[in-house]
Amino acid sequence: MADPVFRTARAEDLDALVQLLADDALGATRECPSYPLPTSYNRAFAAIDADANNELIVAEQDGEIAGMLQLTYIPYLTYRGSWRALVEGVRVADSRRGQGLGRKLFEWAIERSRERGCRLIQLTTDKQRPDALRFYESLGFVASHEGLKRTLAN
């Protein structure tokens, strides 16, 4: 198996990315990987792609998209006006899990966040994903805060 290549997502990757997002029990309930994709995915991709403080990253391995995550860089007044990176939309293809790809993807994302001058990197994980929580803790992430979310009606 070849080493993964990490790169910025391209518009032609969108179908594969939505397939990755939908390829687990939680994602299957909230994503719509139909063809053609709902236009909302194209609008979201265009907004992410146009925003210098957002990077949608793919892990390409053996000629296919094997993983992904989104990094959002956020300026804060706290910590003396520092920046932080927010990690969202993390997925590794089911066939690639347990082979170290997720760890390599996160090591890349942590280094990229350092390059962007971030003081910290943060993420949330669904409480229904205890394996993901253990994985993030093995990377040095600490459950230091209680996170809350509220769904807004469209």
Side-chain angles (χ1 to χ4, degrees), residues 57-108:
I57 303 302
V58 299
E60 197 169 47
Q61 193 171 35
D62 299 324
E64 66 181 47
I65 294 175
M68 66 178 289
L69 59 72
Q70 181 175 340
L71 285 170
T72 301
Y73 305 104
I74 309 165
Y76 278 80
L77 288 178
T78 60
Y79 290 104
R80 299 181 182 189
S82 68
W83 285 71
R84 64 184 67 190
L86 174 66
V87 182
E88 287 286 337
V90 178
R91 292 294 189 284
V92 171
D94 188 50
S95 63
R96 306 285 179 146
R97 291 185 192 139
Q99 300 173 24
L101 178 61
R103 183 166 299 278
K104 289 178 182 176
L105 180 59
F106 260 86
E107 288 168 352
W108 184 93

Side-chain angles (χ1 to χ4, degrees), residues 1-151:
M1 197 168 292
D3 284 338
V5 173
F6 304 109
R7 63 169 176 81
T8 303
R10 300 183 290 255
E12 59 265 24
D13 299 328
L14 192 53
D15 286 332
L17 297 177
V18 174
Q19 288 290 335
L20 271 179
L21 290 171
D23 188 27
D24 73 8
L26 293 177
T29 66
R30 57 186 178 212
E31 304 303 338
C32 183
S34 63
Y35 186 82
L37 289 175
T39 57
S40 56
Y41 288 112
N42 296 80
R43 285 193 305 268
F45 180 86
I48 293 165
D49 195 45
D51 184 345
N53 287 322
N54 271 285
E55 294 180 329
L56 189 55
I57 303 302
V58 299
E60 197 169 47
Q61 193 171 35
D62 299 324
E64 66 181 47
I65 294 175
M68 66 178 289
L69 59 72
Q70 181 175 340
L71 285 170
T72 301
Y73 305 104
I74 309 165
Y76 278 80
L77 288 178
T78 60
Y79 290 104
R80 299 181 182 189
S82 68
W83 285 71
R84 64 184 67 190
L86 174 66
V87 182
E88 287 286 337
V90 178
R91 292 294 189 284
V92 171
D94 188 50
S95 63
R96 306 285 179 146
R97 291 185 192 139
Q99 300 173 24
L101 178 61
R103 183 166 299 278
K104 289 178 182 176
L105 180 59
F106 260 86
E107 288 168 352
W108 184 93
I110 291 165
E111 185 56 34
R112 177 69 179 137
S113 299
R114 279 191 187 106
E115 290 170 4
R116 289 283 306 244
C118 294
R119 176 179 169 77
L120 61 88
I121 184 169
Q122 64 188 39
L123 56 81
T124 61
T125 189
D126 196 292
K127 290 182 178 187
Q128 296 177 64
R129 291 188 165 128
D131 291 341
L133 178 60
R134 281 190 294 278
F135 170 69
Y136 298 137
E137 289 173 338
S138 79
L139 292 166
F141 287 85
V142 177
S144 61
H145 291 68
E146 185 73 22
L148 304 169
K149 293 185 179 184
R150 179 177 171 176
T151 301

